[in-house]
């Protein structure tokens, strides 16, 4: 089967993204792409004196995620985070 036949537009992500972003994100687990360590988001280091908030790995200081907020939006810039896992394991 060709990849175009299996593809739909990004609106198909609405349901699953809605499930993810209502959860407690501090308990989500994040894997650093720099050192490979996995920690809860709440255990990583957050720098709030930058434009937005910068989350850095508590082991190797790699930038994992940057979140900036305007009056109407939130922008997530994914840095060295290999993945983010939300929910019970
Ligand atoms: Zn790291």
């Amino acid at each position: 089967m060709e990849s175009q036949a299996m593809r739909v537009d990004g609106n198909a992500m609405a349901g699953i993204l809605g499930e993810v972003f209502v959860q407690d994100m501090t308990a989500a687990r994040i894997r650093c792409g720099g050192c490979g360590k996995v920690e809860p988001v709440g255990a990583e280091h957050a720098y709030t004196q930058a434009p937005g908030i910068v989350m850095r790995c508590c082991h190797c200081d790699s930038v994992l995620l940057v979140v900036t907020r305007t009056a109407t939006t939130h922008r997530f810039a994914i840095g060295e985070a290999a993945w983010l896992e939300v929910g019970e394991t």
Side-chain angles (χ1 to χ4, degrees):
M1 179 179 276
E2 290 191 33
S3 64
Q4 283 186 324
M6 298 185 299
R7 183 181 65 208
V8 295
D9 68 34
N11 288 312
M13 299 292 292
I16 197 165
L17 289 175
E19 292 171 17
V20 169
F21 285 105
V22 297
Q23 300 194 31
D24 175 10
M25 297 303 289
T26 61
R29 290 153 308 283
I30 190 164
R31 182 176 190 270
C32 175
C35 69
K37 298 280 175 61
V38 177
E39 295 289 349
V41 165
E44 301 293 4
H45 296 162
Y47 296 85
T48 60
Q49 302 303 310
I53 298 178
V54 177
M55 182 168 63
R56 289 183 173 268
C57 176
C58 63
H59 299 283
C60 74
D61 211 34
S62 290
V63 173
L64 299 172
L65 181 67
V66 179
V67 182
T68 53
R69 178 176 33 205
T70 70
T72 58
T73 67
H74 290 84
R75 178 176 290 173
F76 296 82
I78 309 298
E80 291 288 328
W83 49 255
L84 179 69
E85 182 177 53
V86 179
E88 298 291 323
T89 57

